[in-house]
Amino acid sequence: MIDPEFPTGTTVAPNSDKPAVPLTGPYPEGLHTFDFRRYWHSFLERVWIVAICVLAGLFLALGYLARTPKLYQGHTVLEVEFQEPSFISTDDSTTRMRSIFLASQEALRTIEQNLTNQTLLSRVVRSEGLAQDGGRALLGQSAVTDKSSSATERTEPSPAANKTQNAGGVTTFTPLEEGLGRAMVGMVKPAIRRGTRLIDLYVTHRDPAMAQRLAEAIGREYIRNSIERRASLSEEALRYLLEEEERLKGNLQKSEAAVAEYKATNPDALQLGGGTASTGSQQGAGAGAGGSRGGLVEDNLQDLNSKLTTARADQIRLEGELRQVDQIGNNIDALLAIPSISSAPMVMDARRSVIQVEAGITTYALRYKDKHPKMMAAKAALAEAKQKLREAVLAQPPLLRSAIEQIKATEASLQGALQDQQGVAVNLNRTAIGYQQLARQAETDRALYESVLRQIKETNLTKDVKANAVSVIEHSQFSNFPVSPRPTKTIMLGLLGGLAVGLALVFGADALDRSIKTVDQAETTLGLPVFAAVPETTDEGPVSRLKRRSKAFGRSNYRVVVETPESPAAEAFRNLRAALSLLGPEAERKVSLFTSAVPNEGKSFTSANYSLALAQQGYRVLLIDGDLRRPNMHKIFRFANPRNNSEEDSTPGVTDCLVGEADVASAARRIPAGEFQLVDEDIELTGKILTATGGQLSVLAGGRRAPNPAEILAGPFFGRLITEAATIFDRVVIDSSPILAVSDTLLMTPHAQTVCIVIRAGKTPRPAVRRAITLLAKSGIRPAGLVLNRLRRSRGVGYYYYYASHGYGKEEGAYSRSYTRGYGHRSESDHEGNGA
């Protein structure tokens, strides 16, 4: 065998003078590389686990289908318009901002989220009377409406049903209604259709009629709630306008009364000043200079009064809006409804930026996914734009207060200018100036009063308009087929889940399995060559005639080289014989020792069959049972056990030789040639079959029990025993103890020329073998190689070395008992070639 630790073409003889590669360092980590073939055969070995898991997944899926109630789906389609319908043409900033918001994608998402609002669903419960039976119909605990009836044919519930309000004007619900509303959240699923302004509203329920009814009711109640909310806002605005109208009406009455009183006390007031036609015509040509002067003063007074009126109107308007701001707080949408805030340049620029970014996101959404860099950058820009809009809106209330203060300052300034102008005109006609001031104050109050009246009329007309931007364009149909559970999908998921669990168990068990299963794995993991891979011998097939003859002194399927010479196990030991014969010169491979890391690995089985194979090749072989703790050779070859024999003349063994009470020649028991030769007497008599002659097999059993085996082996006696045996026999085979169990083997290995470690495939842990090799290396011993024993012959992990036919050459008569004279021309080379 070629040692992988040395260059190609060189051989290494263990315990020779050639340098050995240290085995105490890290081992190759070949197992960490992906090996598809290994996992495939691991799967084949445990395919029954996968089959059980798949069947379990199938049964679980069928059980789920049997236990899970069927769910039906109601489907309603809602459409969101770009602006709310209106019967009155308005072009104010509030309407424009509302239209801009409705045109955005945020409006669709807001409506989508509001459709699952718990308060809205509680309103549905109340409007549909679902709490009257304790919620049993909604929860599917009893039958509901007739399936032949349609939810669209139900009588519209009275809006008064939703008018239960507390002192603050907020609609309140009973605990049952709130609980049913929470239960409905899991039944409702709205979804925005991509690229459209449509919202699909899905409602699932056990009863198809109830699912249809709820889908219709939720869409209808959302529209009704929106209309009521809008009407409530209009009522609040109307209430404020009515209060303002009463106040302005009182101011107007006071102003008109002051003008009338001034006219009554100063009848000449209309005859002076250049502000009226009557005044100018009454003065005539004689008073032209004075009339011109008075007209200029009057124009200035009018201009100042006009500015003062504008400032007061702005002050009233801004103060009213400021009160609204204080009531609203930080609600951005409500603040945007205030004209002064929505029309602010900073807010309009921020709103325009949000709309532009949203338009860009809508365009990107048609081409890119959410994780695309452009989409992520656009979303980040949208968040920044919204934050800027929020900051701009929240910055407006201080600006309003500042504007009011500026208006007050302007009003004070105008008031001062007006007083100055009055002082200039006092010499002309104080009476005319006083009249004009009162008259303009009355006109200002009248203009404000008329403006408030106009807003009251518009609000009063629009508050009762039952129109909304959201409308139902497709009503729910009665569903005849359930949407859940889906049998095909459930069964497929069950099968796939079972398959996944089965594969996880298979590969998890393979990952947790620390044993050595294949020849490749052994060589890659341990860095030593595998001389032979011995398969399981429990299913070798029919027993040959020689095997039946040998049953009188041996155990079935144990000495496979003799009992089943045509089997793969017997061929594996012939391969072991050939591999060990190529390790080096014959003088350096006379003494072979077989050991293992842990017990029950098959070292005695390997030693016995290897000795039989050597004897069949014509060597004089001595098999020494070196396991003084648990000897087995007397069982294999059916010797009497001296440990259980009380007779004085029991057969001596290894212990007797070590203590000097017997020598090797007298203690070794020779096995008759007929018990291990493959060619029987009938064929030998023909004289035409050439066989290896002179082969002998002697067995040196354990003998009597040794009281101190480790101390005996530590002395010079075992070395003398091996030296004596090597002079008498051609080959000496030692069956030793497990390395990790006792220290006997480490005391024997210095006297052996070839050390082989037997590993039981699929059982021996890798760390145990590595520990055993490390102990040998620390003792100065390098194992020659490995023997992989009891390799399974199934399609699982034991796939190595079994690519060809197991019975190669069997039909041609190799190792058979069916020789006739017709085959007498076979030569010795043919026989040995098929056998070896």
Side-chain angles (χ1 to χ4, degrees):
M1 295 292 290
I2 297 176
D3 195 331
E5 303 290 339
F6 288 87
T8 304
T10 63
T11 59
V12 177
N15 303 337
S16 65
D17 295 335
K18 294 184 180 181
V21 177
L23 295 177
T24 56
Y27 289 90
E29 296 296 334
L31 291 178
H32 293 287
T33 59
F34 181 78
D35 188 356
F36 176 78
R37 185 178 63 176
R38 169 194 166 193
Y39 288 109
W40 170 249
H41 286 281
S42 178
F43 167 76
L44 293 180
E45 182 187 16
R46 301 182 177 92
V47 68
W48 59 274
I49 298 179
V50 179
I52 291 176
C53 291
V54 171
L55 289 177
L58 176 60
F59 287 131
L60 287 176
L62 294 177
Y64 172 80
L65 292 175
R67 294 175 61 89
T68 304
K70 296 181 180 180
L71 297 179
Y72 296 85
Q73 188 177 79
H75 178 209
T76 300
V77 181
L78 307 178
E79 182 181 10
V80 182
E81 301 290 344
F82 284 95
Q83 62 182 4
E84 293 182 345
S86 177
F87 301 100
I88 300 176
S89 178
T90 57
D91 194 23
D92 58 331
S93 58
T94 304
T95 304
R96 288 196 303 270
M97 295 303 298
R98 179 64 178 172
S99 300
I100 293 174
F101 174 73
L102 288 175
S104 65
Q105 193 71 15
E106 292 298 324
L108 295 178
R109 295 195 183 96
T110 302
I111 296 173
E112 179 188 21
Q113 296 299 320
N114 285 334
L115 287 173
T116 57
N117 185 276
Q118 182 178 339
T119 303
L120 174 65
L121 299 180
S122 299
R123 289 173 59 95
V124 173
V125 171
R126 174 173 293 181
S127 64
E128 295 295 312
L130 298 177
Q132 296 177 359
D133 60 349
R136 289 189 297 272
L138 178 61
L139 300 178
Q141 298 177 359
S142 62
V144 290
T145 58
D146 187 7
K147 293 185 179 181
S148 61
S149 63
S150 174
T152 57
E153 298 176 358
R154 289 175 45 86
T155 303
E156 288 290 332
S158 174
N162 290 329
K163 293 300 182 179
T164 304
Q165 298 180 344
N166 58 13
V170 180
T171 304
T172 59
F173 302 97
T174 64
L176 178 60
E177 292 173 340
E178 292 180 353
L180 294 177
R182 286 192 296 269
M184 285 183 60
V185 173
M187 305 178 186
V188 182
K189 181 182 178 182
I192 301 174
R193 289 191 189 179
R194 186 175 181 180
T196 66
R197 300 189 61 80
L198 302 179
I199 299 178
D200 293 299
L201 179 60
Y202 300 99
V203 179
T204 56
H205 197 270
R206 296 182 181 182
D207 183 71
M210 178 59 74
Q212 178 190 21
R213 174 183 173 185
L214 293 177
E216 289 288 334
I218 292 174
R220 181 173 61 249
E221 195 61 32
Y222 176 80
I223 296 174
R224 179 184 299 145
N225 184 40
S226 299
I227 294 174
E228 291 178 357
R229 188 169 61 251
R230 179 181 177 184
S232 176
L233 294 176
S234 298
E235 289 179 357
E236 293 179 0
L238 182 60
R239 188 181 305 109
Y240 171 75
L241 291 175
L242 290 175
E243 294 175 357
E244 191 69 14
E245 184 264 343
E246 290 294 332
R247 186 181 67 82
L248 293 176
K249 183 177 180 180
N251 293 340
L252 178 59
Q253 291 176 351
K254 292 178 181 180
S255 300
E256 290 179 346
V259 171
E261 182 181 358
Y262 193 87
K263 287 171 62 178
T265 56
N266 299 283
D268 296 332
L270 297 177
Q271 303 297 324
L272 301 174
T276 61
S278 59
T279 302
S281 61
Q282 292 174 358
Q283 288 180 351
S292 175
R293 180 65 177 171
L296 179 60
V297 173
E298 184 176 317
D299 292 337
N300 291 335
L301 291 176
Q302 289 180 354
D303 182 59
L304 290 175
N305 274 326
S306 176
K307 292 180 179 180
L308 185 59
T309 301
T310 303
R312 290 177 177 176
D314 292 339
Q315 180 182 352
I316 294 174
R317 178 177 57 82
L318 293 179
E319 288 177 348
E321 293 179 351
L322 185 60
R323 284 194 296 271
Q324 293 183 5
V325 168
D326 294 336
Q327 294 176 358
I328 291 173
N330 292 333
N331 190 337
I332 303 301
D333 293 335
L335 290 176
L336 286 174
I338 298 176
S340 297
I341 296 180
S342 61
S343 60
M346 184 185 301
V347 176
M348 294 183 67
D349 292 341
R351 188 62 181 175
R352 191 179 301 108
S353 298
V354 172
I355 295 173
Q356 290 176 356
V357 174
E358 288 179 343
I361 290 178
T362 304
T363 304
Y364 287 153
L366 300 176
R367 294 183 295 176
Y368 305 112
K369 294 184 177 180
D370 291 339
K371 298 299 183 178
H372 194 275
K374 291 186 177 182
M375 283 292 293
M376 296 177 66
K379 290 181 179 179
L382 178 59
E384 182 179 359
K386 288 183 177 180
Q387 182 63 27
K388 290 183 178 179
L389 176 60
R390 180 180 180 85
E391 294 174 357
V393 172
L394 295 179
Q396 294 306 310
L399 295 179
L400 282 178
R401 294 184 178 90
S402 178
I404 292 173
E405 296 298 327
Q406 291 178 0
I407 289 174
K408 288 181 179 180
T410 303
E411 183 179 356
S413 177
L414 291 175
Q415 187 70 31
L418 182 61
Q419 292 176 358
D420 293 340
Q421 190 66 27
Q422 290 174 349
V424 174
V426 71
N427 296 326
L428 297 177
N429 197 332
R430 292 185 177 181
T431 304
I433 294 175
Y435 171 77
Q436 291 175 1
Q437 183 178 2
L438 293 175
R440 284 177 176 81
Q441 180 65 39
E443 291 177 359
T444 300
D445 293 339
R446 181 174 294 278
L448 292 175
Y449 179 71
E450 291 176 353
S451 175
V452 171
L453 285 179
R454 184 171 58 254
Q455 294 184 25
I456 291 174
K457 292 179 181 179
E458 292 178 358
T459 305
N460 197 25
L461 288 175
T462 58
K463 71 180 182 66
D464 295 328
V465 175
K466 299 184 180 300
N468 192 265
V470 180
S471 60
V472 178
I473 63 170
E474 182 179 337
H475 294 278
S476 178
Q477 302 296 325
F478 185 84
S479 178
N480 295 315
F481 302 98
V483 295
S484 176
R486 298 179 180 178
T488 304
K489 181 179 179 180
T490 303
I491 292 175
M492 289 301 298
L493 289 177
L495 294 176
L496 292 177
L499 178 62
V501 172
L503 293 177
L505 292 176
V506 168
F507 295 129
D510 183 77
L512 296 176
D513 189 358
R514 308 183 70 185
S515 63
I516 298 175
K517 300 179 181 179
T518 65
V519 174
D520 291 339
Q521 189 178 11
E523 292 181 342
T524 304
T525 305
L526 304 175
L528 294 174
V530 177
F531 293 143
V534 183
E536 282 279 5
T537 59
T538 56
D539 54 351
E540 291 292 348
V543 182
S544 63
R545 181 174 61 86
L546 184 59
K547 175 180 177 180
R548 291 193 299 270
R549 187 178 65 183
S550 65
K551 277 187 178 181
F553 52 84
R555 292 193 297 174
S556 175
N557 278 2
Y558 206 96
R559 295 178 293 174
V560 295
V561 174
V562 177
E563 297 169 355
T564 56
E566 302 173 1
S567 64
E571 192 63 34
F573 286 109
R574 287 189 282 270
N575 289 337
L576 176 62
R577 179 184 66 189
L580 293 181
S581 66
L582 298 176
L583 287 180
E586 186 173 355
E588 298 181 359
R589 50 184 172 84
K590 292 188 65 175
V591 182
S592 301
L593 182 143
F594 290 89
T595 184
S596 63
V598 293
N600 299 324
E601 299 294 284
K603 54 183 179 52
S604 300
F605 169 73
T606 304
S607 302
N609 283 278
Y610 174 64
S611 301
L612 290 170
L614 289 175
Q616 290 176 356
Q617 201 174 12
Y619 291 105
R620 292 175 299 167
V621 184
L622 174 63
L623 175 59
I624 300 177
D625 193 349
D627 191 351
L628 302 182
R629 316 288 182 116
R630 293 174 57 185
N632 288 318
M633 292 305 166
H634 65 282
K635 300 178 183 179
I636 297 176
F637 293 96
R638 306 291 291 179
F639 297 158
N641 188 1
R643 301 188 179 191
N644 300 330
N645 195 345
S646 60
E647 298 179 1
E648 294 288 340
D649 57 346
S650 60
T651 303
V654 176
T655 304
D656 301 279
C657 294
L658 292 177
V659 298
E661 296 183 0
D663 57 2
V664 175
S666 60
R669 297 190 60 175
R670 184 174 179 179
I671 305 301
E675 296 184 4
F676 60 86
Q677 291 294 345
L678 296 178
V679 182
D680 58 14
E681 298 84 352
D682 296 336
I683 299 178
E684 285 183 331
L685 291 177
T686 63
K688 297 181 181 180
I689 300 298
L690 298 179
T691 63
T693 59
Q696 297 179 6
L697 175 61
S698 299
V699 179
L700 183 59
R704 62 181 181 177
R705 184 183 302 275
N708 52 347
E711 287 73 13
I712 295 176
L713 293 174
F717 307 107
F718 186 76
R720 295 172 185 173
L721 173 64
I722 297 302
T723 302
E724 182 182 358
T727 59
I728 300 175
F729 297 94
D730 299 330
R731 295 286 188 272
V732 177
V733 180
I734 305 173
D735 176 31
S736 64
S737 306
I739 297 176
L740 301 182
V742 293
S743 62
D744 298 359
T745 302
L746 298 178
L747 300 174
M748 295 180 182
T749 50
H751 308 288
Q753 296 173 316
T754 302
V755 177
C756 293
I757 298 179
V758 180
I759 301 174
R760 182 173 176 178
K763 182 179 180 182
T764 307
R766 292 191 296 268
V769 183
R770 288 174 176 171
R771 175 63 179 168
I773 295 175
T774 302
L775 292 177
L776 290 176
K778 290 181 179 179
S779 301
I781 304 300
R782 172 181 172 80
L786 310 171
V787 177
L788 196 60
N789 187 32
R790 299 190 69 174
L791 190 66
R792 296 186 61 183
R793 297 174 59 184
S794 63
R795 293 184 301 169
V797 294
Y799 56 87
Y800 194 85
Y801 278 175
Y802 295 99
Y803 304 120
S805 174
H806 300 331
Y808 179 75
K810 180 178 179 180
E811 299 300 329
E812 299 297 328
Y815 294 101
S816 67
R817 308 274 76 83
S818 60
Y819 279 97
T820 63
R821 289 184 176 275
Y823 293 95
H825 64 279
R826 287 184 179 269
S827 64
E828 180 182 359
S829 61
D830 293 338
H831 178 73
E832 286 298 309
N834 291 336

